[in-house]
Amino acid sequence: MVTVKTSFRCLLTCFAAVLLSAVVLAQENRATIVGTITDPQGGVIPNATIKATNVETNAVTTTTSNESGLYTLPFLPVGKYQITITATGLKTLVRENLDLRVGDRLQLDFK
């Protein structure tokens, strides 16, 4: 005969299993690059185009800086990247050989 105590333990075990499954599924396996684009005098550059190229797969992710010169490139697969910044009145800026690992949040400012 099943007792209340046994039923409660079974229910508690199932609940714990569900919670642990949710935690495992929520693990992030990608990286993020954030930063600010400024001119040589320190003024912010809005509407700059930021392009992240995974040099191993040639996959490209693009974003634009906001009115404060800030940008975010989220959900990038791990790998080696080249970052290119283009904006009106600003010479093209390039950073190469950036290694992104799982969970990285890289602060990459350009001037």
Side-chain angles (χ1 to χ4, degrees):
M1 180 179 228
V2 177
T3 65
V4 172
K5 191 174 185 179
T6 304
S7 294
F8 181 73
R9 281 185 186 161
C10 182
L11 181 63
L12 188 59
T13 301
C14 290
F15 182 71
V18 169
L19 283 179
L20 288 175
S21 296
V23 170
V24 169
L25 291 175
Q27 295 295 317
E28 184 59 58
N29 63 352
R30 294 174 281 185
T32 299
I33 300 175
V34 298
T36 304
I37 312 297
T38 57
D39 63 22
Q41 292 74 36
V44 298
I45 305 293
N47 301 315
T49 299
I50 301 92
K51 181 172 79 168
T53 305
N54 183 316
V55 297
E56 297 157 345
T57 65
N58 288 322
V60 176
T61 303
T62 304
T63 193
T64 304
S65 61
N66 68 13
E67 64 278 352
S68 300
L70 302 172
Y71 73 92
T72 301
L73 289 162
F75 310 119
L76 296 170
V78 296
K80 189 175 293 271
Y81 282 83
Q82 174 182 309
I83 309 300
T84 305
I85 309 295
T86 55
T88 304
L90 186 69
K91 70 176 185 169
T92 299
L93 304 169
V94 178
R95 297 257 177 99
E96 297 186 31
N97 298 317
L98 294 172
D99 279 319
L100 293 181
R101 295 179 298 268
V102 172
D104 278 354
R105 183 171 177 84
L106 178 64
Q107 177 76 37
L108 189 60
D109 298 325
F110 286 86
K111 191 174 231 181

